[in-house]
Amino acid sequence: MKHIKVFIFSAFALVSAVTLRTIQLLFLTDAKTGFYKEGMEGIGTALMVLLIGVIAVASTLVFMFSKQKLSPTPSSSALLGCVALFAGIANIAEPFLNEISFSAVPAVLLGLRTVMIIASGAVFCWYGIAILFGTKLHASLCIIPIITWVIRLMSSFICFTGMSNISENLYDVLMLISTLISLLLFGKAVCKISKSTTNRKLFASGIAAVLFTSVSSLPCIIAYITSDFTFVHIPVDSPITGLFMALFIAVYLLDICKARD
C-alpha cells in the first residue's frame, strides 16, 4: 500500500477532528441560536482553528514524502463499485427527502439543482456498475457531478443568508469546496487531462474532502443520538449524501494506492 503513513495520520486526524467538533457542538454552542455560549467564544474559536489546522496538515502531508506513482483509473473493486452505487442512490434520493426550505433560492436555480443532483446520482450509479463489471467508465461524465457541486455551493450561499449559525456554515462550505476540488481533480485524472503521474493534488484534496465532510456531518449525528441536543441548524445539503460521497472518495484513494501489477 502506497502512502500508508498518510492514511494512518489521516485516520488519527479524523478521530481528533470529529471529537473536537463534537465537544464544540455539545458544550460550547447554544443550540437555540447556533452561536457560542457567553464566555466560550475564545475557546470555541481556538478549537475551530486547531480543527482546521489538523485537517490542513493531514491533507498536505502527502507532499512531505517522496513521490509515488499512482494510477487514477479505478480497478474492478467490488467494494468501490458498491460504494459508488450507494453514493449515487443517496444523491438521487436527496431532493425527495431533504426537509430544508429553499424559499430564498430562485425557482430556476432550484429546479436546476434538483435535476443536476439526480443526474449526478445517475452518474455515480453508472460508475458503480461499470466498476463492478469492469466495463468502460466514460470518464467524461465527471463533468456532471462537478457542475452539480458548483450549483450546490451557489444555492447554499443563498440559503445561508437566512441562517444564524456562522461556524456551522463554515464547515458546510469547506465540505462543499473540498469535495468540488476533489471531483474536479478526479475528473481531470481519469480523463487523462492531468499529466501528473503522482496525482498528489488529487490525493490531498480527497483527504480534505473526507475530513471536512466528516466534521460537517458526524458530530451533529453523534450529538443527536447521545443526548437531547436539538440543533437549530438544518444543513442545506444532506449529511447522509455527504458521508456516502466521502466514503466513495476514501475507498477510491485506497484503491489507487494499492500495489498493482
Side-chain angles (χ1 to χ4, degrees):
M1 175 70 72
K2 301 171 184 177
H3 295 305
I4 186 65
K5 293 179 181 178
V6 180
F7 282 115
I8 293 172
F9 185 86
S10 297
F12 168 77
L14 174 64
V15 174
S16 301
V18 170
T19 301
L20 287 174
R21 178 56 186 152
T22 303
I23 292 172
Q24 190 184 54
L25 197 62
L26 287 175
F27 303 108
L28 306 180
T29 305
D30 184 347
K32 295 180 180 179
T33 64
F35 290 104
Y36 293 124
K37 295 177 181 178
E38 186 176 355
M40 295 295 182
E41 294 87 354
I43 299 174
T45 302
L47 282 179
M48 182 174 65
V49 171
L50 178 60
L51 186 154
I52 294 175
V54 168
I55 294 177
V57 171
S59 59
T60 56
L61 198 62
V62 67
F63 296 103
M64 301 178 189
F65 296 102
S66 59
K67 295 182 179 180
Q68 299 186 49
K69 187 174 181 179
L70 300 177
S71 174
T73 304
S75 65
S76 298
S77 164
L79 177 59
L80 182 60
C82 289
V83 169
L85 272 173
F86 283 126
I89 293 170
N91 274 277
I92 292 172
E94 179 181 343
F96 305 102
L97 301 177
N98 202 340
E99 298 179 354
I100 192 170
S101 172
F102 288 95
S103 57
V105 180
V108 174
L109 180 59
L110 181 58
L112 182 61
R113 181 183 188 275
T114 301
V115 170
M116 291 305 298
I117 289 176
I118 294 173
S120 180
V123 169
F124 278 102
C125 285
W126 168 249
Y127 280 177
I129 294 171
I131 292 170
L132 284 171
F133 293 98
T135 58
K136 188 177 179 181
L137 203 60
H138 294 295
S140 58
L141 291 174
C142 290
I143 191 64
I144 295 176
I146 292 169
I147 294 174
T148 301
W149 254 256
V150 172
I151 294 173
R152 281 182 182 272
L153 265 172
M154 293 169 61
S155 56
S156 294
F157 275 122
I158 294 171
C159 290
F160 285 166
T161 59
M163 297 181 184
S164 64
N165 191 278
I166 296 173
S167 64
E168 192 68 19
N169 292 349
L170 173 64
Y171 295 120
D172 289 351
V173 169
L174 289 173
M175 178 266 291
L176 289 170
I177 292 174
S178 58
T179 303
L180 173 60
I181 294 173
S182 179
L183 289 173
L184 178 61
L185 294 176
F186 167 76
K188 289 179 66 176
V190 296
C191 289
K192 296 181 172 41
I193 297 174
S194 173
K195 295 181 180 179
S196 173
T197 58
T198 59
N199 291 292
R200 293 196 290 180
K201 291 180 182 179
L202 169 61
F203 195 91
S205 65
I207 294 292
V210 171
L211 293 179
F212 277 124
T213 301
S214 300
V215 167
S216 175
S217 305
L218 287 177
C220 289
I221 296 173
I222 293 171
Y224 179 79
I225 294 174
T226 60
S227 69
D228 57 354
F229 188 89
T230 304
F231 201 29
V232 68
H233 176 80
I234 301 175
V236 177
D237 300 280
S238 169
I240 303 301
T241 301
L243 288 174
F244 275 116
M245 288 297 299
L247 183 60
F248 168 76
I249 294 171
V251 175
Y252 169 72
L253 293 180
L254 287 168
D255 183 71
I256 66 175
C257 287
K258 290 191 304 185
R260 302 186 186 182
D261 297 332

